[in-house]
Amino acid sequence: MGFGDLKTPAGLKVLNDFLADKSYIEGYVPSQADVAVFDALSGPPSADLCHALRWYNHISSYQKEKSSLPGVKKPLGQYGPAGVEDATSAESKDDDDDIDLFGSDDEESEEAKKLKEERLAAYNAKKAKKPAIIAKSSILLDVKPWDDETDMVKLEECVRSIQMDGLLWGSSKLVPVGYGIKKLQIQCVVEDDKVGTDQLEEQITAFEDYVQSMDVAAFNKI
């Protein structure tokens, strides 16, 4: 196990790929495993290594708590993907307990600070350009009339007259329920943050001259 040489682009690429589906080196919380790998880096990864840079920025926020993070720090060769050997050079590995794993702002050179700021700015700019994912759902509604004399054309017209930001009506059909009565089954797509089934029910049942009740027949995330 290992990441190769974490002080080289190739080693950082291995780390980036390793963190593509992980938040931490081990487990689901920051630990001494993260501290050990963090300490092996000479600085923040470049912006194109987005997973490694995201992890680096997150772990660096634990500077004051680093000694209290859980776990026991192990050699670098015991972390990372299988089949890759650790080749990271280290200074004074025997004095790990005396090393400030995160360094301090006073010890950073102006050039290192500037490089770090540039990489963070590039990463944040790239992240800001990514379009926000809008959560949507497909809902199938059953709208029931009072009786077989209810004007179903008018009922559907009333339902479709409901307009909200994040609501899109789809196909519909009349489904027999017995005794000559038919219900309106209508599809719609909603943005989850803007439209809820309670809102739809409140507005649809407000057409009380036509609508007896409304039920959700199917609800699927898109």
Side-chain angles (χ1 to χ4, degrees), residues 25-40:
I25 299 300
E26 287 186 341
Y28 301 97
V29 295
S31 68
Q32 292 301 317
D34 297 286
V35 173
V37 177
F38 184 98
D39 182 47

PDB file of all heavy atoms in Angstrom, residues 25-40:
ATOM      1  N   ILE A  25      -8.786   9.581   4.540  1.00  0.00           N
ATOM      2  CA  ILE A  25      -7.871   8.487   4.197  1.00  0.00           C
ATOM      3  C   ILE A  25      -8.393   7.163   4.732  1.00  0.00           C
ATOM      4  O   ILE A  25      -8.339   6.123   4.067  1.00  0.00           O
ATOM      5  CB  ILE A  25      -6.462   8.768   4.754  1.00  0.00           C
ATOM      6  CG1 ILE A  25      -5.900  10.071   4.151  1.00  0.00           C
ATOM      7  CG2 ILE A  25      -5.529   7.597   4.460  1.00  0.00           C
ATOM      8  CD1 ILE A  25      -5.762  10.058   2.646  1.00  0.00           C
ATOM      9  N   GLU A  26      -8.923   7.183   5.950  1.00  0.00           N
ATOM     10  CA  GLU A  26      -9.522   5.994   6.553  1.00  0.00           C
ATOM     11  C   GLU A  26     -10.826   6.382   7.225  1.00  0.00           C
ATOM     12  O   GLU A  26     -10.899   7.420   7.890  1.00  0.00           O
ATOM     13  CB  GLU A  26      -8.599   5.370   7.613  1.00  0.00           C
ATOM     14  CG  GLU A  26      -7.396   4.642   7.064  1.00  0.00           C
ATOM     15  CD  GLU A  26      -6.591   3.928   8.151  1.00  0.00           C
ATOM     16  OE1 GLU A  26      -6.743   4.272   9.347  1.00  0.00           O
ATOM     17  OE2 GLU A  26      -5.813   3.031   7.808  1.00  0.00           O
ATOM     18  N   GLY A  27     -11.855   5.551   7.092  1.00  0.00           N
ATOM     19  CA  GLY A  27     -13.095   5.754   7.820  1.00  0.00           C
ATOM     20  C   GLY A  27     -13.896   6.953   7.351  1.00  0.00           C
ATOM     21  O   GLY A  27     -13.753   7.434   6.223  1.00  0.00           O
ATOM     22  N   TYR A  28     -14.735   7.464   8.263  1.00  0.00           N
ATOM     23  CA  TYR A  28     -15.696   8.501   7.916  1.00  0.00           C
ATOM     24  C   TYR A  28     -15.517   9.782   8.727  1.00  0.00           C
ATOM     25  O   TYR A  28     -16.357  10.669   8.689  1.00  0.00           O
ATOM     26  CB  TYR A  28     -17.122   7.971   8.103  1.00  0.00           C
ATOM     27  CG  TYR A  28     -17.391   6.750   7.255  1.00  0.00           C
ATOM     28  CD1 TYR A  28     -17.286   5.467   7.794  1.00  0.00           C
ATOM     29  CD2 TYR A  28     -17.707   6.870   5.905  1.00  0.00           C
ATOM     30  CE1 TYR A  28     -17.505   4.331   7.009  1.00  0.00           C
ATOM     31  CE2 TYR A  28     -17.914   5.750   5.118  1.00  0.00           C
ATOM     32  CZ  TYR A  28     -17.818   4.486   5.673  1.00  0.00           C
ATOM     33  OH  TYR A  28     -18.036   3.382   4.899  1.00  0.00           O
ATOM     34  N   VAL A  29     -14.419   9.865   9.482  1.00  0.00           N
ATOM     35  CA  VAL A  29     -14.107  11.067  10.242  1.00  0.00           C
ATOM     36  C   VAL A  29     -12.607  11.334  10.109  1.00  0.00           C
ATOM     37  O   VAL A  29     -11.837  10.426   9.846  1.00  0.00           O
ATOM     38  CB  VAL A  29     -14.464  10.913  11.745  1.00  0.00           C
ATOM     39  CG1 VAL A  29     -15.964  10.768  11.928  1.00  0.00           C
ATOM     40  CG2 VAL A  29     -13.734   9.728  12.367  1.00  0.00           C
ATOM     41  N   PRO A  30     -12.174  12.587  10.287  1.00  0.00           N
ATOM     42  CA  PRO A  30     -10.742  12.868  10.230  1.00  0.00           C
ATOM     43  C   PRO A  30      -9.998  12.137  11.338  1.00  0.00           C
ATOM     44  O   PRO A  30     -10.494  12.017  12.454  1.00  0.00           O
ATOM     45  CB  PRO A  30     -10.670  14.390  10.415  1.00  0.00           C
ATOM     46  CG  PRO A  30     -11.965  14.774  11.052  1.00  0.00           C
ATOM     47  CD  PRO A  30     -12.973  13.797  10.544  1.00  0.00           C
ATOM     48  N   SER A  31      -8.815  11.618  11.030  1.00  0.00           N
ATOM     49  CA  SER A  31      -8.065  10.819  11.992  1.00  0.00           C
ATOM     50  C   SER A  31      -6.570  11.046  11.792  1.00  0.00           C
ATOM     51  O   SER A  31      -6.151  11.841  10.943  1.00  0.00           O
ATOM     52  CB  SER A  31      -8.400   9.335  11.832  1.00  0.00           C
ATOM     53  OG  SER A  31      -7.893   8.849  10.588  1.00  0.00           O
ATOM     54  N   GLN A  32      -5.780  10.301  12.599  1.00  0.00           N
ATOM     55  CA  GLN A  32      -4.329  10.407  12.471  1.00  0.00           C
ATOM     56  C   GLN A  32      -3.840   9.928  11.110  1.00  0.00           C
ATOM     57  O   GLN A  32      -2.741  10.276  10.675  1.00  0.00           O
ATOM     58  CB  GLN A  32      -3.655   9.615  13.595  1.00  0.00           C
ATOM     59  CG  GLN A  32      -3.866  10.198  14.986  1.00  0.00           C
ATOM     60  CD  GLN A  32      -3.336  11.622  15.102  1.00  0.00           C
ATOM     61  OE1 GLN A  32      -2.252  11.925  14.616  1.00  0.00           O
ATOM     62  NE2 GLN A  32      -4.111  12.491  15.735  1.00  0.00           N
ATOM     63  N   ALA A  33      -4.641   9.114  10.423  1.00  0.00           N
ATOM     64  CA  ALA A  33      -4.286   8.698   9.061  1.00  0.00           C
ATOM     65  C   ALA A  33      -4.221   9.921   8.149  1.00  0.00           C
ATOM     66  O   ALA A  33      -3.309  10.067   7.325  1.00  0.00           O
ATOM     67  CB  ALA A  33      -5.306   7.684   8.536  1.00  0.00           C
ATOM     68  N   ASP A  34      -5.194  10.836   8.292  1.00  0.00           N
ATOM     69  CA  ASP A  34      -5.190  12.060   7.491  1.00  0.00           C
ATOM     70  C   ASP A  34      -4.000  12.945   7.864  1.00  0.00           C
ATOM     71  O   ASP A  34      -3.373  13.561   6.995  1.00  0.00           O
ATOM     72  CB  ASP A  34      -6.506  12.818   7.708  1.00  0.00           C
ATOM     73  CG  ASP A  34      -7.706  12.023   7.243  1.00  0.00           C
ATOM     74  OD1 ASP A  34      -7.907  11.916   6.023  1.00  0.00           O
ATOM     75  OD2 ASP A  34      -8.440  11.512   8.096  1.00  0.00           O
ATOM     76  N   VAL A  35      -3.698  13.011   9.161  1.00  0.00           N
ATOM     77  CA  VAL A  35      -2.572  13.820   9.620  1.00  0.00           C
ATOM     78  C   VAL A  35      -1.266  13.300   9.013  1.00  0.00           C
ATOM     79  O   VAL A  35      -0.414  14.071   8.545  1.00  0.00           O
ATOM     80  CB  VAL A  35      -2.490  13.814  11.160  1.00  0.00           C
ATOM     81  CG1 VAL A  35      -1.219  14.525  11.628  1.00  0.00           C
ATOM     82  CG2 VAL A  35      -3.714  14.473  11.770  1.00  0.00           C
ATOM     83  N   ALA A  36      -1.086  11.974   9.014  1.00  0.00           N
ATOM     84  CA  ALA A  36       0.146  11.379   8.492  1.00  0.00           C
ATOM     85  C   ALA A  36       0.335  11.689   7.016  1.00  0.00           C
ATOM     86  O   ALA A  36       1.429  12.058   6.573  1.00  0.00           O
ATOM     87  CB  ALA A  36       0.124   9.866   8.720  1.00  0.00           C
ATOM     88  N   VAL A  37      -0.739  11.552   6.233  1.00  0.00           N
ATOM     89  CA  VAL A  37      -0.629  11.809   4.790  1.00  0.00           C
ATOM     90  C   VAL A  37      -0.481  13.304   4.533  1.00  0.00           C
ATOM     91  O   VAL A  37       0.298  13.731   3.682  1.00  0.00           O
ATOM     92  CB  VAL A  37      -1.851  11.225   4.059  1.00  0.00           C
ATOM     93  CG1 VAL A  37      -1.781  11.557   2.572  1.00  0.00           C
ATOM     94  CG2 VAL A  37      -1.912   9.715   4.248  1.00  0.00           C
ATOM     95  N   PHE A  38      -1.238  14.110   5.279  1.00  0.00           N
ATOM     96  CA  PHE A  38      -1.148  15.564   5.133  1.00  0.00           C
ATOM     97  C   PHE A  38       0.282  16.042   5.359  1.00  0.00           C
ATOM     98  O   PHE A  38       0.805  16.882   4.626  1.00  0.00           O
ATOM     99  CB  PHE A  38      -2.107  16.226   6.127  1.00  0.00           C
ATOM    100  CG  PHE A  38      -2.187  17.722   6.025  1.00  0.00           C
ATOM    101  CD1 PHE A  38      -3.214  18.335   5.332  1.00  0.00           C
ATOM    102  CD2 PHE A  38      -1.229  18.531   6.621  1.00  0.00           C
ATOM    103  CE1 PHE A  38      -3.298  19.716   5.240  1.00  0.00           C
ATOM    104  CE2 PHE A  38      -1.295  19.913   6.534  1.00  0.00           C
ATOM    105  CZ  PHE A  38      -2.339  20.507   5.839  1.00  0.00           C
ATOM    106  N   ASP A  39       0.911  15.494   6.399  1.00  0.00           N
ATOM    107  CA  ASP A  39       2.266  15.907   6.763  1.00  0.00           C
ATOM    108  C   ASP A  39       3.279  15.553   5.673  1.00  0.00           C
ATOM    109  O   ASP A  39       4.321  16.187   5.558  1.00  0.00           O
ATOM    110  CB  ASP A  39       2.661  15.232   8.076  1.00  0.00           C
ATOM    111  CG  ASP A  39       4.046  15.659   8.537  1.00  0.00           C
ATOM    112  OD1 ASP A  39       4.327  16.862   8.524  1.00  0.00           O
ATOM    113  OD2 ASP A  39       4.858  14.776   8.895  1.00  0.00           O
ATOM    114  N   ALA A  40       2.957  14.533   4.885  1.00  0.00           N
ATOM    115  CA  ALA A  40       3.894  14.088   3.846  1.00  0.00           C
ATOM    116  C   ALA A  40       3.872  15.000   2.622  1.00  0.00           C
ATOM    117  O   ALA A  40       4.780  14.964   1.802  1.00  0.00           O
ATOM    118  CB  ALA A  40       3.576  12.651   3.431  1.00  0.00           C
TER     119      ALA A  40
END
